């Protein structure tokens, strides 16, 4: 039966035996030597032969004879080779390449059609090869094999499955196949026809599991004669449209009910100029916020306001990467979350007005690192013009990492009773946080001032606007480069007033287009004013503005003091 | 100045959230009256600009299932000299995932009489609340609100869903 009676087969069986026992190892950090040097070095040191070595990127991948050798080789992890310590990893367990696993893998790929994204697991017990190997003959091995097969399928990223056929498998219930829901949670079509499933109760493990299942086929199962069959199936599969080839839900209505009409878009800018200037502002601001907050204080006037608000409500655990145990120790004392504060005095106290008060809160917050450039996809921004202050509002949602403890801890407005039982190590742990920050900016002749700045800090989560790729193959294109943020996907709405549209330049002020494109609306406005006030021509106006560091007052004073030396041709002719 | 500004603002924000959660189309008009009607009201929802408050409220009423907002954080600044204030609101929202819209209609074709989906008695079915999503809202409004004048005070609203649970049936993409 297994071939051992045939003497002629012994040689090949021995090879096969060897092949199935061998274990894969991955070796990295060997760049300073050749691949041959590496293998001979290892065999000298460990007395273990690494065979069939190939190079993939900076890793050398090879095989050792068995698990025992792999374990022995693993002890040499970190050994010095050509000036670097080698990293040896045993990646393939023996089980991974066992004949059964190979057999099941081969079976899976034989039954998978990439064109239709369909995995056909119909009448497994009649599969010639599996029957020959004695698998799937009894119910008990069948359900074990099914679980193993599902596990294999979920580790195979090449299997993109939308439809599964499980017809003709003598199934009495779904107990043996419940894992299907974990392996393919986004399954769209499922066929269970020609089985012996009798009770809808047995389908309940799948309740709310297949959230995208559109079609189910259960014909030729006793269950279809149950009185409440259809209603029960509708309850178990919330988005089911076709049941046994009959339309049970109106697909259009269903889509209308479950699709939120306002799709998540990470960026909104009221117009293009607002987009580029606010992107620039936020990038520069957060750079300084992370490195040297005191430099930001020049943006705040004595009337500017800042407050911080912590929202410690923990998101559900089903939110991707949600921090279930956030620590807000550094924030609570300055938090101006007015849903949590009862007295107006402390609400007033926690609002900082003017650079001094603002600096105090800035210094009481942990030092941070934002990843605006490295992980641009984790940030979302909206800008809206704000007519009543002749400025605009920038809203940024994203995350930061806390790098070090705050410069000084703010204890103002925190009654002593809170000191009791506070556990510094867990309350004041540094971690990642998500945040929303709102700036109200007012452009002035000198640049821009921050009229208002509100920061909400909340537990870290993976953001709602980040698109989860459907197939693992597209993972590489998820990052949105920062340049794209400058190209808003929005056509200005004519009904909105356009406070920040580019200023209308005097007809005598003519700038080369490439220079004009580089300038922010604020700079253009300064140029225009300078041009009109000094009567200098475009070229000289630009020179003057640039030399004065884009400061109108400095520029105008400079103009006045050197008026005598300015040549005649510098003026508008 | 009145010393209870924060109380007024908190009540007003809760009122807005309650309006968003209200399934009764009869009360739409009183919600609409809170928005600035001069055609200059800015509404951005998940990054999508909406030209008119009516358009926003109609879409919310007709295309979004019943919701429930819970206020979790609130802060505000009064911008001196502008006659306005800005609010930064954090809240959680969950949706009715029973498969029925605000009018209690579902997508089932020919519901059988044994079904739980029929609406024979005309009594609205109990909502089946899904898991919570996170929401961040920014508002610009007139300071007339402190004088008990809420008519057209909202001049801008920026509403963003900031996190979503994987096990929700609601599709945001």
């Amino acid at each position: 039966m297994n071939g051992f009676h045939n003497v002629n087969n012994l040689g090949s069986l021995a090879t096969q035996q060897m092949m199935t026992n061998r274990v894969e190892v991955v070796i990295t950090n060997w760049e300073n030597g050749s691949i041959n040097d590496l293998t001979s070095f290892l065999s000298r040191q460990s007395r273990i032969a690494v065979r069939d070595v190939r190079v993939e990127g900076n890793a050398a991948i090879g095989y050792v004879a068995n698990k025992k050798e792999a374990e022995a080789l693993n002890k040499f992890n970190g050994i010095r080779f050509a000036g670097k310590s080698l990293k040896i990893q045993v990646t393939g367990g023996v089980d991974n390449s066992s004949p059964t696993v190979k057999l099941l893998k081969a079976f899976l790929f034989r039954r998978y059609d990439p064109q239709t994204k369909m995995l056909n697991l119909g009448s497994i017990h009649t599969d010639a090869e599996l029957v020959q190997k004695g698998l799937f003959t009894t119910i008990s091995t069948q359900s074990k094999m099914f679980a193993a097969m599902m596990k294999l399928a979920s580790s195979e990223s090449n299997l993109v499955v939308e439809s599964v056929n499980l017809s003709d498998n003598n199934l009495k219930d779904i107990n043996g196949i419940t894992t299907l829901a974990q392996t393919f949670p986004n399954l769209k079509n499922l066929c269970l026809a020609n089985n012996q499933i009798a009770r809808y109760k047995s389908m309940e493990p799948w309740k709310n599991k297949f959230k995208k299942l559109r079609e189910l086929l259960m014909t030729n199962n006793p269950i279809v004669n149950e009185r409440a069959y259809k209603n029960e199936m509708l309850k178990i599969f919330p988005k089911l449209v076709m049941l046994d080839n009959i339309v049970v839900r109106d697909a259009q209505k269903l889509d209308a009910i479950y699709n939120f009409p306002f799709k998540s878009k990470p960026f909104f800018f009221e117009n293009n100029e607002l987009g580029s200037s606010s992107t620039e502002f936020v990038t520069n601001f957060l750079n300084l916020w992370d490195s040297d907050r005191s430099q930001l204080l020049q943006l705040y006037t004595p009337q500017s306001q800042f407050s911080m608000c912590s929202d410690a409500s923990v998101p559900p655990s089903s939110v991707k990467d949600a921090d279930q145990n956030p620590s807000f120790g550094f924030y609570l004392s300055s938090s101006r979350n007015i849903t949590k504060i009862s007295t107006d005095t402390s609400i007033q106290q926690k609002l900082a007005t003017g650079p001094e008060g603002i600096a105090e809160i800035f210094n009481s917050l942990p030092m941070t690192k934002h990843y605006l450039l490295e992980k641009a996809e984790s940030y979302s921004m909206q800008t809206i013009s704000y007519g009543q202050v002749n400025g605009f509002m920038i809203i940024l949602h994203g995350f930061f990492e806390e790098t070090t403890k705050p410069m000084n801890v703010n204890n103002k407005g925190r009654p002593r009773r809170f000191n009791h039982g506070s556990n510094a190590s867990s309350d004041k742990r540094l971690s990642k946080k998500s945040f929303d920050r709102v700036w109200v900016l007012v452009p002035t002749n000198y640049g821009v001032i921050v009229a208002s700045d509100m920061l909400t800090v909340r537990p870290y989560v993976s953001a709602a606007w980040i698109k989860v790729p459907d197939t693992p193959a597209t993972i590489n294109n998820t990052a949105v480069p920062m340049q794209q943020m400058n190209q808003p996907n929005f056509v200005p709405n004519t009904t909105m007033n356009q406070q920040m549209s580019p200023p209308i330049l005097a007809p005598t002020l003519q700038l080369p287009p490439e220079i004009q494109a580089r300038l922010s609306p604020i700079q253009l406005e300064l140029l225009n004013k300078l041009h009109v006030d000094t009567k200098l021509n475009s070229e000289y106006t630009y020179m003057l503005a640039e030399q004065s560091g884009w400061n109108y007052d400095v520029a105008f004073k400079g103009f006045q003091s050197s008026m005598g030396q300015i040549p005649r041709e510098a003026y508008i002719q | 100045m009145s010393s209870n500004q924060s109380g007024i603002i908190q009540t007003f924000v809760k009122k807005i959230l309650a309006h968003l959660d209200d399934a009764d189309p009869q009360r739409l008009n009183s919600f609409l009256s809170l928005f600035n009607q001069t055609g200059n009201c800015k509404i951005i929802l998940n990054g999508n600009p909406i030209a008119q408050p009516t358009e926003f409220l109609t879409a919310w009423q007709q295309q979004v299932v019943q919701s429930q907002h819970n206020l979790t954080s609130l802060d505000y600044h009064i911008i001196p000299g502008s006659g306005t204030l800005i609010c930064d609101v954090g809240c959680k929202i969950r949706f009715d995932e029973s498969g029925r819209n605000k009018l209690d209609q579902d997508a089932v074709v020919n519901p059988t009489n044994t079904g739980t989906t029929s609406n024979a008695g005309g009594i609205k079915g109990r909502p089946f609340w899904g898991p919570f999503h996170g929401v961040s809202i920014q508002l610009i409004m007139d300071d007339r609100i402190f004088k008990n004048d809420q008519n057209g005070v909202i001049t801008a609203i920026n509403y963003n869903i900031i996190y979503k649970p994987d096990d929700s049936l609601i599709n945001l993409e």
Side-chain angles (χ1 to χ4, degrees):
Chain A
M1 174 99 177
N2 54 17
F4 270 108
H5 298 295
N6 189 339
V7 183
N8 299 330
N9 265 348
L10 275 179
S12 68
L13 275 168
T15 333
Q16 203 187 324
Q17 182 70 17
M18 205 184 77
M19 293 294 277
T20 53
N21 279 342
R22 67 184 200 168
V23 178
E24 191 182 73
V25 291
V26 175
I27 302 161
T28 44
N29 220 13
W30 54 277
E31 292 84 354
N32 295 337
S34 78
I35 188 86
N36 286 335
D37 288 347
L38 176 71
T39 47
S40 57
F41 170 79
L42 278 176
S43 72
R44 266 200 323 276
Q45 294 291 326
S46 65
R47 313 231 159 254
I48 294 165
V50 182
R51 293 171 214 273
D52 298 345
V53 188
R54 63 183 193 277
V55 181
E56 274 181 22
N58 57 358
I61 301 169
Y63 301 89
V64 294
N66 53 45
K67 210 171 181 172
K68 216 173 144 192
E69 282 200 8
E71 280 164 13
L73 187 68
N74 208 14
K75 293 196 180 115
F76 289 85
N77 188 16
I79 192 170
R80 304 284 293 179
F81 170 71
K84 282 186 160 183
S85 34
L86 287 182
K87 212 172 156 199
I88 300 170
Q89 281 171 294
V90 180
T91 52
V94 175
D95 295 340
N96 221 357
S97 48
S98 84
T100 314
V101 167
K102 274 190 181 160
L103 189 73
L104 287 179
K105 255 191 193 171
F107 172 74
L108 273 178
F109 278 99
R110 191 150 31 97
R111 292 296 195 93
Y112 173 64
D113 179 2
Q115 222 89 64
T116 55
K117 296 180 180 167
M118 155 112 144
L119 185 59
N120 184 357
L121 302 176
S123 53
I124 300 177
H125 60 280
T126 61
D127 187 85
E129 199 163 318
L130 293 186
V131 168
Q132 198 203 338
K133 295 285 173 348
L135 302 170
F136 287 93
T137 42
T138 67
I139 297 293
S140 77
T141 53
Q142 178 172 330
S143 64
K144 265 185 213 157
M145 282 307 143
F146 190 83
M149 201 147 65
M150 284 301 104
K151 204 167 172 222
L152 277 177
S154 44
S155 64
E156 283 299 327
S157 54
N158 298 338
L159 289 178
V160 180
V161 176
E162 287 185 352
S163 311
V164 167
N165 177 16
L166 277 162
S167 60
D168 298 291
N169 276 315
N170 300 323
L171 298 168
K172 289 204 166 51
D173 49 47
I174 60 159
N175 290 343
I177 56 171
T178 44
T179 45
L180 191 71
Q182 278 105 61
T183 310
F184 305 116
N186 297 325
L187 200 66
K188 287 185 179 150
N189 310 295
L190 175 62
C191 174
L192 287 166
N194 306 331
N195 284 299
Q196 275 106 51
I197 300 170
R199 300 170 64 90
Y200 55 73
K201 273 253 184 314
S202 81
M203 301 285 283
E204 276 188 351
W206 278 348
K207 192 162 187 175
N208 284 325
K209 287 290 178 354
F210 291 108
K211 298 196 173 212
K212 291 184 179 164
L213 196 75
R214 307 284 284 183
E215 188 171 352
L216 176 68
L217 213 55
M218 299 277 289
T219 42
N220 273 327
N221 279 283
I223 191 176
V224 301
N225 302 319
E226 291 269 306
R227 202 163 54 96
Y229 165 65
K230 182 183 151 189
N231 278 320
E232 290 302 322
M233 292 303 113
L234 285 172
K235 269 195 220 164
I236 291 171
F237 306 104
K239 293 190 182 169
L240 194 67
V241 169
M242 296 277 279
L243 178 63
D244 303 334
N245 290 321
I246 296 166
V247 177
V248 288
R249 277 195 182 104
D250 183 325
Q252 224 176 341
K253 279 187 195 164
L254 193 69
D255 281 348
I257 287 167
Y258 285 120
N259 273 316
F260 194 68
F262 315 99
K263 300 295 170 204
S264 278
K265 296 206 180 88
F267 299 106
F268 167 77
F269 303 122
E270 203 168 309
N271 57 54
N272 289 11
E273 289 71 30
L274 210 48
S276 54
S277 54
S278 50
T279 310
E280 198 185 311
F281 169 82
V282 164
T283 316
N284 293 336
F285 188 98
L286 292 181
N287 264 338
L288 288 172
W289 179 260
D290 290 344
S291 58
D292 182 7
R293 286 177 196 167
S294 63
Q295 284 196 49
L296 292 169
L297 295 171
Q298 56 190 330
L299 297 172
Y300 298 81
T301 69
Q303 282 200 316
S304 299
Q305 302 170 69
F306 171 79
S307 56
M308 193 280 303
C309 163
S310 65
D311 180 352
S313 59
V314 178
S317 55
S318 56
V319 176
K320 193 165 173 275
D321 303 328
D323 186 353
Q324 295 296 292
N325 185 22
S327 71
F328 281 90
F330 290 121
Y331 300 97
L332 291 176
S333 57
S334 340
S335 172
R336 192 176 184 250
N337 182 349
I338 67 171
T339 67
K340 306 273 188 236
I341 308 175
S342 49
T343 68
D344 266 323
T345 358
S346 61
I347 290 174
Q348 215 48 50
Q349 227 171 36
K350 284 166 186 190
L351 174 71
T353 309
E356 268 174 48
I358 290 172
E360 204 177 312
I361 305 190
F362 277 9
N363 291 336
S364 76
L365 301 174
M367 291 307 286
T368 54
K369 168 98 184 91
H370 291 74
Y371 295 88
L372 218 51
L373 295 166
E374 299 90 333
K375 290 179 183 161
E377 75 280 3
S378 300
Y379 293 84
S380 159
M381 181 156 82
Q382 294 88 39
T383 57
I384 308 168
S385 68
Y386 192 163
Q388 295 92 331
V389 298
N390 287 318
F392 49 98
M393 174 153 92
I394 302 177
I395 301 109
L396 182 74
H397 313 276
F399 82 100
F400 58 77
E401 202 153 310
E402 295 164 354
T403 52
T404 42
K405 293 185 174 179
M407 285 152 77
N408 33 21
V409 176
N410 182 4
N411 280 319
K412 197 168 69 177
R414 195 164 159 80
R416 279 182 63 173
R417 63 193 153 93
F418 282 109
N419 294 341
H420 174 69
S422 91
N423 181 349
S425 59
S426 68
D427 289 356
K428 301 194 168 173
R429 189 163 35 84
L430 297 175
S431 62
K432 273 197 281 190
K433 294 277 190 307
S434 284
F435 73 93
D436 311 289
R437 193 160 188 168
V438 185
W439 293 272
V440 174
L441 301 184
V442 181
T444 64
N445 290 337
Y446 315 104
V448 70
I449 59 157
V450 179
S452 155
D453 180 358
M454 286 196 279
L455 171 66
T456 300
V457 180
R458 47 189 172 85
Y460 178 77
V461 286
S462 183
W465 56 85
I466 298 175
K467 300 261 185 292
V468 182
D470 268 348
T471 54
T474 56
I475 273 170
N476 298 333
N477 342 321
T478 49
V480 182
M482 203 64 183
Q483 290 91 300
Q484 283 180 22
M485 285 174 58
N486 292 338
Q487 292 156 12
N489 45 9
F490 164 66
V491 183
N493 192 322
T494 46
T495 61
M496 293 197 166
N497 85 13
Q498 306 206 344
Q499 284 292 335
M500 281 306 294
S501 56
I504 298 149
L505 302 179
T508 45
L509 180 64
Q510 279 153 359
L511 298 165
E514 71 273 13
I515 289 182
Q516 188 161 349
R518 264 196 290 129
L519 298 174
S520 72
I522 298 158
Q523 286 174 313
L524 284 174
E525 215 156 76
L526 184 143
L527 268 188
N528 200 39
K529 189 164 162 42
L530 205 57
H531 172 72
V532 172
D533 291 354
T534 59
K535 306 274 185 298
L536 284 172
N537 69 22
S538 313
E539 195 186 333
Y540 275 82
T541 313
Y542 184 82
M543 268 164 49
L544 183 62
E546 200 164 44
Q547 279 164 13
S548 65
W550 297 97
N551 182 327
Y552 177 82
D553 279 7
V554 175
F556 197 76
K557 277 203 188 100
F559 168 73
Q560 281 175 324
S561 62
S562 55
M563 222 149 41
Q565 297 130 41
I566 297 174
R568 173 103 193 86
E569 65 269 24
Y571 292 92
I572 306 167
Q573 300 296 314
Chain B
M1 269 279 196
S2 147
S3 63
N4 196 26
Q5 289 169 344
S6 58
I8 293 170
I9 287 171
Q10 193 169 164
T11 313
F12 186 71
V13 167
K14 281 183 176 165
K15 182 189 168 103
I16 295 173
L17 299 180
H19 270 302
L20 287 170
D21 293 341
D22 199 337
D24 185 356
Q26 305 294 317
R27 284 193 280 267
L28 266 182
N29 266 335
S30 61
F31 191 10
L32 189 64
S33 72
L34 304 180
F35 291 87
N36 181 311
Q37 295 290 330
T38 62
N40 224 345
C41 185
K42 286 156 203 196
I43 300 166
I44 294 109
L45 223 144
N46 277 348
N48 305 277
I50 299 163
Q52 296 292 331
T54 11
E55 199 183 310
F56 162 51
L57 297 190
T58 321
W60 188 274
Q61 175 65 31
Q62 293 175 352
Q63 297 171 44
V64 181
V65 292
Q66 200 179 346
S67 61
Q68 197 178 63
H69 285 84
N70 278 6
L71 183 65
T72 56
S73 75
L74 176 61
D75 195 1
Y76 70 96
H77 288 172
I78 300 166
I79 312 291
S82 70
T84 59
L85 58 117
I86 55 170
C87 271
D88 188 18
V89 183
C91 58
K92 291 183 174 186
I93 183 177
R94 55 182 182 174
F95 297 100
D96 176 10
E97 298 191 356
S98 65
R100 294 185 302 259
N101 63 14
K102 282 202 179 91
L103 301 171
D104 209 26
Q105 296 159 333
D106 62 21
V108 176
V109 177
N110 301 323
T112 52
N113 49 9
T114 52
T116 51
T117 48
S118 66
N119 189 14
I123 304 154
K124 197 179 177 311
R126 203 157 51 86
F128 181 78
W129 296 118
F132 277 110
H133 297 62
V135 175
S136 165
I137 307 171
Q138 287 72 37
L139 295 160
I140 301 178
M141 44 197 185
D142 292 350
D143 60 10
R144 286 182 287 124
I145 184 176
F146 296 131
K147 296 177 193 133
N148 203 18
D149 177 3
Q150 302 182 344
N151 210 17
V153 285
I154 303 175
T155 57
I157 177 167
N158 178 39
Y159 184 109
N160 279 280
I161 296 188
I162 44 182
Y163 64 74
K164 57 168 189 229
D166 288 338
D167 52 348
S168 170
L169 295 175
I170 303 292
N171 180 20
L172 295 172
E173 281 174 21

